[in-house]
Amino acid sequence: QIKNVKINKKSQAVEFIKDGEIWKIKTKKADQSKITALIDGLWPDFIPENVATLDIKHQELELTPELGTEVNINDQIKILVGKTSENGGIYVRFTDNKNSYLLKNLNSDSISLDPSFWQDKTIVAIEQNNLNKLTFNQNGKNSVIVKKDIKWVKEAGGGEVQKDKIESLATTLSSF
């Protein structure tokens, strides 16, 4: 099981540590989906095609320690990430192996040395099912909508509100 991932290039580095089921960067919660996408991208379901074994080709693909970005998993597995392919995907190789591969489900946008790229930027997370009341304020006047059973109604007067509009708003509010 993967417990830590470190990405480094030259003197820059960023590290994620898994605390229980939550990935963290330093002491802050990391964006779980970005880290999962990185790990899944580095471990495809199939064996990718070997595209190069020669040092001269590694230089061209930026798969050398001087040019590539190293991804270190559990302080045991080291993968060099090189340049992006013209046809999509990114070139990689294990540091202890001459074989180089093209991973088509990963790109250079998936790998960053900037800690803020990896931080979870969620301000509020609310389960949609837990929303029971919404209050809107326009020009100092409140409008309140409440959930009764499975319907949303206006608190004043009880008129039903369009379900699709409230559900769209609730989806937006659930992870803001």
Side-chain angles (χ1 to χ4, degrees), residues 19-150:
D19 183 9
E21 294 299 314
I22 305 294
W23 284 101
K24 292 188 175 181
I25 179 167
K26 296 182 182 177
T27 59
K28 297 181 180 177
K29 185 177 177 187
D31 186 322
Q32 308 302 296
S33 63
K34 286 182 181 177
I35 296 173
T36 299
L38 172 65
I39 293 168
D40 290 348
L42 290 170
W43 300 108
D45 293 334
F46 57 91
I47 298 172
E49 178 184 351
N50 182 5
V51 294
T53 56
L54 301 175
D55 289 340
I56 189 89
K57 192 69 173 173
H58 292 158
Q59 191 83 16
E60 181 185 322
L61 300 176
E62 299 178 9
L63 291 173
T64 64
E66 299 79 32
L67 298 173
T69 301
E70 183 182 276
V71 178
N72 185 328
I73 299 172
N74 288 343
D75 295 320
Q76 297 173 352
I77 301 168
K78 295 179 181 179
I79 301 169
L80 278 174
V81 178
K83 71 179 190 178
T84 301
S85 165
E86 293 174 5
N87 300 322
I90 200 162
Y91 295 102
V92 300
R93 79 177 177 95
F94 293 97
T95 57
D96 63 352
N97 192 306
K98 295 279 187 187
N99 294 332
S100 302
Y101 305 96
L102 175 62
L103 298 179
K104 294 185 179 185
N105 55 342
L106 198 60
N107 61 53
S108 59
D109 294 339
S110 307
I111 300 172
S112 176
L113 293 162
D114 180 5
S116 67
F117 171 83
W118 298 101
Q119 289 175 347
D120 185 350
K121 295 172 179 67
T122 303
I123 297 169
V124 176
I126 303 169
E127 289 290 329
Q128 281 182 296
N129 295 339
N130 292 341
L131 287 176
N132 294 315
K133 182 177 183 178
L134 298 171
T135 303
F136 302 92
N137 184 302
Q138 186 174 9
N139 299 327
K141 184 180 176 188
N142 284 343
S143 298
V144 180
I145 299 171
V146 294
K147 189 175 187 181
K148 292 195 176 183
D149 297 319
I150 60 169

Side-chain angles (χ1 to χ4, degrees), residues 145 152-154 159-168:
I145 299 171
W152 285 92
V153 296
K154 294 177 185 175
E160 193 170 337
V161 180
Q162 290 181 353
K163 183 178 179 180
D164 58 335
K165 289 186 178 184
I166 294 298
E167 285 179 353
S168 174

